[in-house]
Amino acid sequence: MEMVAVDLGGTHARFAIAEVEDGRVVRLGDVVTQRTADHASLQTAWQAYEAQHGRPLPRFAGISIAGPINGDVIRLTNNPWVIRPSLIQERLNVDRWTVVNDFAAVGHAVAQLSDDDFVHLCGPDVPLPKKGVTTVCGPGTGLGVAQVLKTDGRYHVLPTEGGHTDYAPLDSIEDAIAKRLRRTFTRVSCERIVAGPGIVAIYETLAELEGRPVPSRDDKTIWAEALDGTDSIALAALDRFCLALGAVAGDLALAQGANGVVIAGGLGLRIKDKLLRSGFDQRFVAKGRFQSMMAAIPVKLITHPQPGLFGAAAAFAQEHAQ
Protein backbone atom coordinates (compact mmCIF):
# COMPACT_ATOMS: atom_id res chain seq x y z
CA MET A 1 0.00 0.00 0.00
CA GLU A 2 1.26 3.48 -0.86
CA MET A 3 0.64 6.36 1.51
CA VAL A 4 1.82 9.92 2.08
CA ALA A 5 4.22 10.51 4.96
CA VAL A 6 4.29 14.06 6.31
CA ASP A 7 6.64 15.59 8.89
CA LEU A 8 5.54 19.04 10.05
CA GLY A 9 7.97 21.23 11.96
CA GLY A 10 8.19 24.88 12.81
CA THR A 11 10.15 25.83 9.69
CA HIS A 12 9.67 23.01 7.20
CA ALA A 13 7.03 20.57 6.02
CA ARG A 14 8.45 17.39 4.52
CA PHE A 15 6.54 14.99 2.29
CA ALA A 16 7.32 11.58 0.81
CA ILE A 17 5.47 8.63 -0.66
CA ALA A 18 5.97 5.54 1.46
CA GLU A 19 5.10 1.92 0.85
CA VAL A 20 3.81 0.00 3.87
CA GLU A 21 2.87 -3.63 4.32
CA ASP A 22 1.90 -5.82 7.28
CA GLY A 23 2.31 -3.00 9.78
CA ARG A 24 5.79 -1.96 8.66
CA VAL A 25 7.46 0.49 6.28
CA VAL A 26 8.82 -1.21 3.18
CA ARG A 27 10.16 1.87 1.41
CA LEU A 28 10.36 5.63 1.87
CA GLY A 29 10.51 7.57 -1.38
CA ASP A 30 12.16 10.85 -2.33
CA VAL A 31 11.67 13.66 0.16
CA VAL A 32 10.17 17.00 -0.83
CA THR A 33 10.76 19.86 1.61
CA GLN A 34 8.63 23.01 1.71
CA ARG A 35 8.98 26.11 3.85
CA THR A 36 5.92 26.44 6.08
CA ALA A 37 6.14 30.23 5.74
CA ASP A 38 5.34 29.82 2.03
CA HIS A 39 1.95 28.26 2.74
CA ALA A 40 -1.14 29.28 4.66
CA SER A 41 -1.98 25.80 5.91
CA LEU A 42 -1.27 22.09 5.69
CA GLN A 43 -3.95 21.86 3.00
CA THR A 44 -2.23 24.33 0.67
CA ALA A 45 1.17 22.71 1.27
CA TRP A 46 -0.40 19.31 0.54
CA GLN A 47 -1.87 20.66 -2.70
CA ALA A 48 1.51 22.10 -3.71
CA TYR A 49 3.13 18.71 -3.08
CA GLU A 50 0.44 16.99 -5.14
CA ALA A 51 1.05 19.40 -8.03
CA GLN A 52 4.75 18.73 -7.85
CA HIS A 53 4.11 14.98 -7.64
CA GLY A 54 2.26 15.19 -10.95
CA ARG A 55 -0.54 12.77 -10.17
CA PRO A 56 -3.20 12.28 -7.47
CA LEU A 57 -1.74 11.39 -4.11
CA PRO A 58 -2.55 8.14 -2.31
CA ARG A 59 -5.63 8.42 -0.09
CA PHE A 60 -3.75 7.42 3.06
CA ALA A 61 -1.59 9.66 5.26
CA GLY A 62 0.69 9.46 8.29
CA ILE A 63 1.36 12.90 9.76
CA SER A 64 4.01 13.76 12.34
CA ILE A 65 3.45 17.11 14.06
CA ALA A 66 5.84 19.16 16.20
CA GLY A 67 3.38 19.91 18.97
CA PRO A 68 1.08 18.25 21.49
CA ILE A 69 -1.59 15.99 19.98
CA ASN A 70 -4.73 16.57 22.00
CA GLY A 71 -8.19 18.04 21.61
CA ASP A 72 -9.99 19.18 18.48
CA VAL A 73 -7.35 21.74 17.56
CA ILE A 74 -3.63 21.05 17.15
CA ARG A 75 -1.32 24.05 17.29
CA LEU A 76 2.23 23.55 16.10
CA THR A 77 5.22 24.78 18.04
CA ASN A 78 6.86 27.73 16.21
CA ASN A 79 4.40 27.48 13.33
CA PRO A 80 1.13 29.43 12.95
CA TRP A 81 -0.70 26.57 11.23
CA VAL A 82 -3.74 25.16 13.01
CA ILE A 83 -4.78 21.56 12.29
CA ARG A 84 -8.21 20.15 13.09
CA PRO A 85 -8.10 16.34 12.99
CA SER A 86 -11.84 16.15 12.30
CA LEU A 87 -11.29 17.99 9.00
CA ILE A 88 -8.26 16.05 7.74
CA GLN A 89 -10.34 13.63 5.64
CA GLU A 90 -12.18 16.45 3.90
CA ARG A 91 -9.27 18.88 3.49
CA LEU A 92 -6.65 16.36 2.34
CA ASN A 93 -9.00 14.03 0.48
CA VAL A 94 -7.86 10.92 2.35
CA ASP A 95 -9.69 7.81 3.51
CA ARG A 96 -7.44 6.77 6.39
CA TRP A 97 -4.86 8.72 8.34
CA THR A 98 -2.75 8.75 11.49
CA VAL A 99 -1.57 11.82 13.41
CA VAL A 100 1.30 11.52 15.90
CA ASN A 101 3.55 13.81 17.88
CA ASP A 102 6.94 14.30 16.25
CA PHE A 103 8.86 12.47 18.96
CA ALA A 104 6.35 9.62 19.03
CA ALA A 105 7.14 9.32 15.31
CA VAL A 106 10.83 9.01 16.19
CA GLY A 107 9.88 6.17 18.55
CA HIS A 108 8.13 4.37 15.71
CA ALA A 109 11.20 4.88 13.54
CA VAL A 110 13.46 3.41 16.22
CA ALA A 111 11.18 0.35 16.43
CA GLN A 112 11.16 -0.30 12.68
CA LEU A 113 14.51 0.84 11.28
CA SER A 114 17.24 -1.69 10.53
CA ASP A 115 20.42 -2.06 12.55
CA ASP A 116 22.28 -0.25 9.76
CA ASP A 117 20.44 2.98 10.67
CA PHE A 118 22.21 3.24 14.03
CA VAL A 119 25.79 3.77 15.13
CA HIS A 120 27.18 2.42 18.38
CA LEU A 121 27.96 4.90 21.18
CA CYS A 122 28.72 2.80 24.25
CA GLY A 123 27.89 -0.39 26.10
CA PRO A 124 27.97 -3.78 24.35
CA ASP A 125 28.37 -3.40 20.58
CA VAL A 126 25.30 -5.50 19.79
CA PRO A 127 21.97 -4.70 18.09
CA LEU A 128 19.16 -3.21 20.13
CA PRO A 129 17.23 -5.96 21.95
CA LYS A 130 14.13 -7.34 20.24
CA LYS A 131 12.24 -7.48 23.54
CA GLY A 132 12.04 -5.07 26.43
CA VAL A 133 12.14 -1.28 26.73
CA THR A 134 14.22 1.02 24.54
CA THR A 135 14.62 4.53 25.92
CA VAL A 136 14.67 7.21 23.21
CA CYS A 137 15.85 10.73 23.96
CA GLY A 138 16.50 13.51 21.49
CA PRO A 139 18.15 16.84 22.23
CA GLY A 140 16.91 19.53 19.86
CA THR A 141 14.98 22.70 20.53
CA GLY A 142 13.79 20.80 23.60
CA LEU A 143 14.54 17.36 24.99
CA GLY A 144 12.19 14.75 23.56
CA VAL A 145 11.77 11.52 25.51
CA ALA A 146 9.85 8.36 24.67
CA GLN A 147 10.03 4.67 25.36
CA VAL A 148 9.45 1.80 22.99
CA LEU A 149 8.10 -1.39 24.55
CA LYS A 150 8.89 -4.41 22.37
CA THR A 151 7.10 -7.71 22.80
CA ASP A 152 6.82 -10.80 20.58
CA GLY A 153 6.91 -9.28 17.10
CA ARG A 154 5.08 -6.11 18.17
CA TYR A 155 5.87 -2.83 19.84
CA HIS A 156 4.20 0.09 21.58
CA VAL A 157 5.46 3.68 21.58
CA LEU A 158 4.89 5.61 24.81
CA PRO A 159 5.58 9.35 24.51
CA THR A 160 6.59 10.99 27.78
CA GLU A 161 7.54 14.38 29.19
CA GLY A 162 10.78 13.01 30.61
CA GLY A 163 12.73 16.02 29.38
CA HIS A 164 11.01 18.08 32.09
CA THR A 165 12.27 16.02 35.03
CA ASP A 166 14.56 17.79 37.52
CA TYR A 167 18.18 18.22 36.49
CA ALA A 168 20.69 16.67 38.91
CA PRO A 169 24.12 18.39 38.98
CA LEU A 170 27.01 15.99 39.56
CA ASP A 171 29.92 18.34 40.31
CA SER A 172 30.69 21.93 41.28
CA ILE A 173 30.62 23.20 37.69
CA GLU A 174 27.17 21.74 37.12
CA ASP A 175 26.12 23.21 40.47
CA ALA A 176 27.15 26.61 39.08
CA ILE A 177 25.22 26.03 35.82
CA ALA A 178 22.06 25.12 37.75
CA LYS A 179 22.51 28.11 40.05
CA ARG A 180 22.80 30.43 37.06
CA LEU A 181 19.63 29.01 35.53
CA ARG A 182 17.75 29.40 38.81
CA ARG A 183 18.20 33.16 38.48
CA THR A 184 15.71 32.96 35.60
CA PHE A 185 13.79 29.75 36.24
CA THR A 186 12.49 28.69 39.62
CA ARG A 187 12.93 25.05 38.66
CA VAL A 188 15.74 23.73 36.46
CA SER A 189 14.66 20.80 34.29
CA CYS A 190 16.91 18.56 32.20
CA GLU A 191 15.69 20.34 29.08
CA ARG A 192 17.19 23.64 30.29
CA ILE A 193 20.64 22.12 29.84
CA VAL A 194 20.39 19.03 27.60
CA ALA A 195 18.84 20.74 24.57
CA GLY A 196 20.15 23.10 21.91
CA PRO A 197 19.44 26.36 23.79
CA GLY A 198 21.02 24.91 26.95
CA ILE A 199 24.50 25.50 25.55
CA VAL A 200 24.06 29.22 26.32
CA ALA A 201 23.82 28.73 30.10
CA ILE A 202 26.73 26.29 30.03
CA TYR A 203 28.87 28.71 28.00
CA GLU A 204 28.05 31.72 30.18
CA THR A 205 28.75 29.79 33.39
CA LEU A 206 32.14 28.58 32.16
CA ALA A 207 33.11 32.10 31.05
CA GLU A 208 32.10 33.45 34.45
CA LEU A 209 34.10 30.77 36.28
CA GLU A 210 37.13 31.66 34.15
CA GLY A 211 36.78 35.31 35.13
CA ARG A 212 36.24 36.29 31.51
CA PRO A 213 33.68 38.76 30.16
CA VAL A 214 30.38 36.99 29.50
CA PRO A 215 29.40 37.92 25.94
CA SER A 216 25.78 37.77 24.85
CA ARG A 217 25.62 35.05 22.19
CA ASP A 218 22.77 32.92 20.94
CA ASP A 219 22.88 29.15 20.92
CA LYS A 220 23.41 28.87 17.15
CA THR A 221 26.59 30.96 17.36
CA ILE A 222 27.95 28.99 20.30
CA TRP A 223 27.21 25.65 18.62
CA ALA A 224 28.96 26.81 15.43
CA GLU A 225 32.04 27.95 17.37
CA ALA A 226 32.09 24.75 19.40
CA LEU A 227 31.86 22.48 16.39
CA ASP A 228 34.52 24.28 14.38
CA GLY A 229 36.77 24.74 17.44
CA THR A 230 37.19 28.51 17.07
CA ASP A 231 36.25 29.34 20.68
CA SER A 232 37.82 27.43 23.57
CA ILE A 233 34.96 28.21 25.99
CA ALA A 234 32.40 27.06 23.42
CA LEU A 235 34.38 23.85 22.98
CA ALA A 236 34.45 23.32 26.75
CA ALA A 237 30.69 23.97 26.84
CA LEU A 238 30.20 21.23 24.23
CA ASP A 239 32.23 18.84 26.39
CA ARG A 240 29.97 19.67 29.34
CA PHE A 241 26.87 19.20 27.19
CA CYS A 242 28.01 15.68 26.25
CA LEU A 243 28.64 14.81 29.91
CA ALA A 244 25.19 16.07 30.90
CA LEU A 245 23.52 14.17 28.05
CA GLY A 246 25.21 10.95 29.15
CA ALA A 247 24.02 11.42 32.74
CA VAL A 248 20.45 12.27 31.74
CA ALA A 249 20.21 9.40 29.24
CA GLY A 250 21.39 7.02 31.97
CA ASP A 251 18.85 8.39 34.45
CA LEU A 252 16.05 7.93 31.91
CA ALA A 253 17.12 4.36 31.15
CA LEU A 254 17.26 3.58 34.85
CA ALA A 255 13.79 5.06 35.44
CA GLN A 256 12.23 3.28 32.46
CA GLY A 257 13.85 -0.10 33.08
CA ALA A 258 15.45 0.00 29.62
CA ASN A 259 17.67 -2.64 28.07
CA GLY A 260 18.53 -0.38 25.11
CA VAL A 261 18.94 3.36 24.57
CA VAL A 262 18.80 5.50 21.43
CA ILE A 263 19.94 9.11 21.09
CA ALA A 264 17.89 10.80 18.38
CA GLY A 265 17.43 14.25 16.91
CA GLY A 266 19.40 16.36 14.46
CA LEU A 267 21.59 17.77 17.23
CA GLY A 268 22.65 14.30 18.30
CA LEU A 269 23.75 13.55 14.75
CA ARG A 270 25.72 16.82 14.54
CA ILE A 271 27.75 15.97 17.64
CA LYS A 272 28.18 12.26 16.83
CA ASP A 273 31.97 12.38 16.61
CA LYS A 274 32.20 14.40 19.81
CA LEU A 275 29.96 11.99 21.71
CA LEU A 276 32.18 9.10 20.71
CA ARG A 277 35.25 10.86 22.17
CA SER A 278 33.62 12.50 25.19
CA GLY A 279 32.88 11.27 28.69
CA PHE A 280 29.29 10.50 27.64
CA ASP A 281 29.81 6.79 28.24
CA GLN A 282 31.31 7.25 31.72
CA ARG A 283 28.45 9.49 32.83
CA PHE A 284 25.88 7.09 31.38
CA VAL A 285 27.04 4.17 33.53
CA ALA A 286 27.90 6.17 36.68
CA LYS A 287 24.82 5.13 38.67
CA GLY A 288 26.38 3.84 41.87
CA ARG A 289 25.27 0.33 42.76
CA PHE A 290 23.73 -0.10 39.29
CA GLN A 291 26.91 0.65 37.34
CA SER A 292 27.38 -2.93 36.12
CA MET A 293 23.75 -3.09 34.99
CA MET A 294 24.12 0.20 33.09
CA ALA A 295 27.32 -1.00 31.43
CA ALA A 296 25.36 -3.91 29.92
CA ILE A 297 22.96 -1.59 28.02
CA PRO A 298 23.73 -0.93 24.32
CA VAL A 299 23.48 2.78 23.50
CA LYS A 300 23.00 3.82 19.87
CA LEU A 301 22.69 7.00 17.82
CA ILE A 302 20.07 7.04 15.08
CA THR A 303 21.57 8.05 11.71
CA HIS A 304 18.58 7.79 9.37
CA PRO A 305 18.27 11.18 7.59
CA GLN A 306 14.47 11.41 7.98
CA PRO A 307 13.34 9.61 11.15
CA GLY A 308 10.28 11.88 11.45
CA LEU A 309 9.00 10.98 7.99
CA PHE A 310 9.86 7.32 8.38
CA GLY A 311 8.19 7.31 11.79
CA ALA A 312 5.03 8.97 10.46
CA ALA A 313 4.75 6.18 7.88
CA ALA A 314 5.53 3.54 10.52
CA ALA A 315 2.86 4.92 12.87
CA PHE A 316 0.28 4.74 10.09
CA ALA A 317 1.39 1.22 9.14
CA GLN A 318 1.08 -0.02 12.71
CA GLU A 319 -2.33 1.58 13.35
CA HIS A 320 -3.83 0.35 10.09
CA ALA A 321 -2.17 -3.06 9.82
CA GLN A 322 -4.47 -5.64 8.32
Side-chain angles (χ1 to χ4, degrees):
M1 172 197 300
E2 284 195 337
M3 48 84 63
V4 182
V6 187
D7 185 20
L8 302 181
T11 305
H12 296 105
R14 295 178 175 87
F15 297 82
I17 302 298
E19 183 180 345
V20 300
E21 184 177 324
D22 296 330
R24 304 190 70 84
V25 180
V26 177
R27 181 184 62 85
L28 185 69
D30 295 336
V31 178
V32 172
T33 301
Q34 301 182 23
R35 283 176 45 83
T36 55
D38 294 338
H39 299 282
S41 66
L42 171 58
Q43 182 183 15
T44 61
W46 177 280
Q47 291 169 343
Y49 174 60
E50 185 170 41
Q52 185 174 353
H53 189 60
R55 58 187 176 88
L57 295 175
R59 296 179 65 93
F60 310 104
I63 305 171
S64 164
I65 297 177
I69 308 299
N70 50 49
D72 296 328
V73 177
I74 299 174
R75 301 183 186 278
L76 280 76
T77 305
N78 302 318
N79 181 335
W81 291 0
V82 174
I83 297 172
R84 293 177 172 80
S86 61
L87 297 179
I88 285 178
Q89 182 174 25
E90 173 188 340
R91 298 287 174 84
L92 303 186
N93 194 29
V94 293
D95 296 324
R96 282 186 281 172
W97 67 95
T98 294
V99 176
V100 293
N101 166 265
D102 58 340
F103 210 74
V106 172
H108 281 277
V110 166
Q112 292 204 20
L113 285 169
S114 71
D115 294 339
D116 294 338
D117 290 302
F118 301 90
V119 295
H120 182 68
L121 287 180
C122 65
D125 191 359
V126 297
L128 292 168
K130 301 299 182 184
K131 291 183 180 180
V133 172
T134 298
T135 291
V136 187
C137 59
T141 303
L143 177 62
V145 177
Q147 57 187 136
V148 181
L149 172 61
K150 301 175 184 177
T151 56
D152 293 322
R154 294 191 61 79
Y155 70 89
H156 302 276
V157 176
L158 305 173
T160 80
E161 294 298 337
H164 297 283
T165 55
D166 291 328
Y167 175 70
L170 294 175
D171 60 27
S172 59
I173 292 178
E174 293 180 354
D175 285 338
I177 295 169
K179 182 178 179 180
R180 185 180 191 87
L181 283 164
R182 276 196 293 270
R183 298 175 192 170
T184 304
F185 308 103
T186 304
R187 174 177 173 272
V188 179
S189 68
C190 294
E191 184 174 271
R192 297 295 183 191
I193 295 169
V194 187
I199 198 79
V200 175
I202 301 174
Y203 179 91
E204 291 177 348
T205 303
L206 295 180
E208 189 174 55
L209 291 173
E210 289 270 345
R212 303 189 189 189
V214 181
S216 178
R217 292 180 178 171
D218 62 18
D219 58 301
K220 292 181 180 179
T221 300
I222 297 172
W223 278 112
E225 292 175 341
L227 291 169
D228 64 21
T230 56
D231 184 303
S232 59
I233 298 294
L235 192 57
L238 174 53
D239 288 336
R240 277 283 158 183
F241 182 92
C242 292
L243 292 175
L245 178 58
V248 170
D251 285 344
L252 291 168
L254 197 61
Q256 295 182 355
N259 59 357
V261 172
V262 172
I263 306 299
L267 181 54
L269 198 54
R270 286 178 68 194
I271 63 174
K272 176 186 71 171
D273 294 337
K274 189 64 180 177
L275 283 173
L276 290 168
R277 300 194 305 270
S278 71
F280 171 95
D281 55 342
Q282 297 169 359
R283 280 292 188 89
F284 180 83
V285 302
K287 304 302 175 189
R289 290 169 291 172
F290 294 94
Q291 184 162 327
S292 60
M293 184 184 80
M294 300 301 292
I297 298 175
V299 183
K300 308 290 184 180
L301 176 71
I302 189 170
T303 58
H304 190 281
Q306 297 292 343
L309 269 179
F310 188 99
F316 173 89
Q318 190 197 50
E319 181 177 351
H320 300 283
Q322 296 179 347

